[in-house]
Amino acid sequence: MTVTRVLVVEPHAPETELLTAPAIREAAAILRRGGLVAFPTETVYGLGAVATDARAVARLFAAKGRPADNPLIVHLAAAEDAVRVARDIPPEAWRLWVRYAPGPLTLVLPSRGTVAPAALAGLPTVAVRIPAHPVARALIRAAGAPIVAPSANRSGRPSPTTAAHVLEDLAGRIDAVVDGGPAGIGLESTVLDVTRRPAIVLRPGAVTVEMLEAVLGDGAVVDPAAPLREGEAPRSPGMKYRHYAPDVPLALLDLEDGAGAAVEALRALLAGSGPPPAVLATEEDAARLRALLAAAGVPSDRLRWVIVGRRSEPQTVAAALYGAFRSLRPEAVSRAFFVRLPETGLFRAVMNRVRKAAGDPPFPGQDAAPAAPAPE
Ligand code: TXA
Ligand code: MG
């Protein structure tokens, strides 16, 4: 068992200052020696290893318990560095990077073959991201190498948004975590496959389809979350379904259609013995549901309310989601309900993660997720 060191940095320091901070120099030295270091990014915490170091990559898969067929994202400090790991980079990629690099956008590109093959799960493509978080950027630059970094959770668990979440999952299994405070957005990057035309969103994130199409043009991006057009075959994102599962069963609760059914389901559950159910909802939706329960005479004092941000400020919902999932303990709650949000803007990414955590298809209109395998 490894002793996991916690290296604390000042999260608001500029990148140039962080480059020489003792914690970053130490973390970079650990990476260069083949170690595993978790660090904050503007999306979630990542677990870093040098991308060209096959032994480090093997250790990384083992530490996460990640299936060998799920490839990793290569993190670079600058878009120009992509030529070191990818080849035949299409013009679409450069146009997107002009607008969204650095940032929460990952592009799938043809691989140059310079990264450890295990990191790419043997695929001919490589996923590339240029993170915006100064701590991540300083660490990549100090290490002087491309860094693979999956989310720093045990496979199957929600992604970590704080160093404490990382330690919850990986203490004793990784060499260090750089604690730079909470990650910003709280959801993983948008993954866009630009080796295909139209490009296809493999994972929705903070860079929305509307934002991608603003650069590439209308119709240049396939959004698996959009309703199927008449006669269109089901869209397969060509990616394994993954779960961000809390430790108790999760289901969706709809307050638009079927509020009555939701109220009756909660009435029945609250009448039973054992731990009560939890409701995950925005401040606004929680107030609405409280009023509905009161009007129906359902005593809701035993209900566990987990407030997940404000509906009027979608970024607060994204930032709170995984912490809310992690707070659900089977000793305290029997099961959990998430009050459904509209599939617009950033809520599309939020609902994609919630549906997967609930074991539902990640995008509406697709077949249900296979029971196994279910990494992430
Ligand atoms: O925001 C993020 O992207 C975070 C931070 C740490 O950067 N990282 C992250 O990595 O979420 P991970 O490993 O948890 O998710 C990477 C996703 C997986 O769904 C993986 O299947 C997909 O990217 N992926 C990686 N390489 C790919 C490839 N060559 N083709 C298709 N999908 C790929
Ligand atoms: Mg992950």
Side-chain angles (χ1 to χ4, degrees), residues 9-189:
V9 292
E10 165 52 55
H12 304 296
E15 187 182 328
T16 44
E17 215 166 276
L18 285 164
L19 260 178
T20 54
I24 296 292
R25 293 167 68 118
E26 181 59 28
I30 297 171
L31 285 172
R32 282 196 302 267
R33 287 198 297 269
L36 305 180
V37 178
F39 58 93
T41 82
E42 77 279 23
T43 58
V44 299
Y45 270 69
L47 177 58
V50 169
T52 50
D53 182 338
R55 277 189 56 199
V57 168
R59 276 189 70 208
L60 191 157
F61 275 86
K64 274 187 60 94
R66 183 173 177 112
D69 62 357
N70 195 5
L72 308 178
I73 296 172
V74 176
H75 293 64
L76 304 168
E80 303 84 81
D81 294 341
V83 296
R84 292 164 60 188
V85 298
R87 60 175 173 79
D88 303 332
I89 299 174
E92 287 86 350
W94 296 111
R95 286 167 61 200
L96 288 169
W97 279 329
V98 166
R99 184 80 172 73
Y100 298 120
L105 175 64
T106 296
L107 299 180
V108 174
L109 302 163
S111 166
R112 180 171 287 283
T114 49
V115 164
L120 308 183
L123 292 177
T125 53
V126 58
V128 171
R129 172 158 120 77
I130 296 100
H133 196 296
V135 172
R137 301 180 55 75
L139 181 58
I140 296 165
R141 287 176 63 192
I147 300 294
V148 281
S151 51
N153 50 283
R154 287 290 283 268
S155 211
R157 301 258 299 148
S159 294
T161 53
T162 65
H165 292 166
V166 174
L167 291 169
E168 223 171 79
D169 280 16
L170 296 173
R173 305 176 70 89
I174 63 175
D175 299 294
V177 54
V178 179
D179 184 349
I185 296 165
L187 297 178
E188 307 82 354
S189 61

